[in-house]
Amino acid sequence: MAVKVGVLALQGAFAEHADYLRRCGARPIEVRLPEQLDEVDGLIIPGGESTTIGKLLRRFGFEQPLREFKKPIWGTCAGMILLSKEIRGGLPDQLALDRIDLRVTRNAFGRQVDSFTTPLELSNLEEPIPAVFIRAPLAEPLSDRVEVLAEVDGQVAAARQDKIWVSSFHPELSGDLRLHRAFVESCKP
Ligand code: GLN
């Protein structure tokens, strides 16, 4: 049976993730209610606007379930911000789910560099991935539990801590399925 991977579908780039998951042979489930977390083997929190996604997560009762979710979670861009322990440049009450020991800086490339694509080396992939950065965050590790997978300008662009994965770029726009394949593999029960 295909692995069921949830894609949080409250706001942002969820449709593209669902498409990539399908192409990897997984069954994507668009998650709009916390109850749906029980039926999935893992979850992607997509890019979008972290302040908006955070507000919607609180409004729909996702906060506690996501703090306690035991299966793999992959946060991309805004999703990385939401999974971090500390947020710089966020709203005063912005939701930080504290699932990975990172201090993340929103919009780390400033206004001049709004978005760009660059080949990025990741320590878990043999060849670089075309990484699409869109008003992207960067982070610094707060503990040695964080496994840094890629850096840009000496800061974290991709990392893992136990079952939590984060990337500051948009892998669902890269035309490259390798990271989705690796995540799907890690979701197999
Ligand atoms: N800058 C956005 C934020 O702070 C993230 C951008 C993205 O997800 N592409 O939420």
Side-chain angles (χ1 to χ4, degrees):
M1 245 192 21
V3 188
K4 287 193 223 164
V5 181
V7 185
L8 187 73
L10 300 179
Q11 193 262 340
F14 55 86
E16 293 82 359
H17 273 296
D19 177 45
Y20 273 43
L21 288 168
R22 221 171 274 119
R23 286 159 66 188
C24 292
R27 188 168 145 214
I29 311 265
E30 291 188 1
V31 173
R32 294 193 172 82
L33 293 169
E35 299 83 81
Q36 290 175 281
L37 294 173
D38 296 335
E39 1 159 337
V40 299
D41 303 309
L43 179 73
I44 293 178
I45 304 182
E49 182 52 51
S50 59
T51 51
T52 306
I53 299 177
K55 279 183 195 155
L56 294 171
L57 286 174
R58 281 197 173 118
R59 187 181 308 162
F60 294 115
F62 273 101
E63 183 175 350
Q64 209 50 35
L66 284 179
R67 288 186 194 277
E68 290 163 8
F69 190 71
K70 298 278 186 296
K71 295 165 196 163
I73 310 181
W74 182 13
T76 66
C77 205
M80 169 172 175
I81 298 170
L82 285 155
L83 289 171
S84 291
K85 190 183 193 76
E86 286 179 27
I87 302 172
R88 290 174 67 185
L91 296 179
D93 62 345
Q94 183 165 345
L95 180 63
L97 291 165
D98 190 7
R99 296 298 314 264
I100 184 162
D101 296 341
L102 289 177
R103 178 184 296 130
V104 73
T105 302
R106 293 179 69 206
N107 305 319
F109 296 93
R111 287 206 183 141
Q112 288 83 349
V113 192
D114 202 43
S115 62
F116 62 99
T117 306
T118 189
L120 185 71
E121 302 228 7
L122 272 89
S123 60
N124 61 336
L125 296 180
E126 280 181 16
E127 301 290 328
I129 190 164
V132 181
F133 290 88
I134 305 171
R135 294 182 298 111
L138 287 173
E140 55 184 300
L142 296 173
S143 84
D144 56 14
R145 296 172 65 205
V146 177
E147 180 193 357
V148 177
L149 301 175
E151 288 189 346
V152 172
D153 297 338
Q155 295 197 74
V156 178
R160 242 180 345 210
Q161 181 176 323
D162 306 319
K163 292 182 180 174
I164 307 298
W165 299 35
V166 294
S167 51
S168 65
F169 51 93
H170 280 257
E172 81 290 2
L173 301 176
S174 63
D176 189 316
L177 290 176
R178 286 175 298 160
L179 282 176
H180 284 81
R181 271 202 206 105
F183 184 68
V184 167
E185 201 53 42
S186 83
C187 292
K188 288 192 173 156

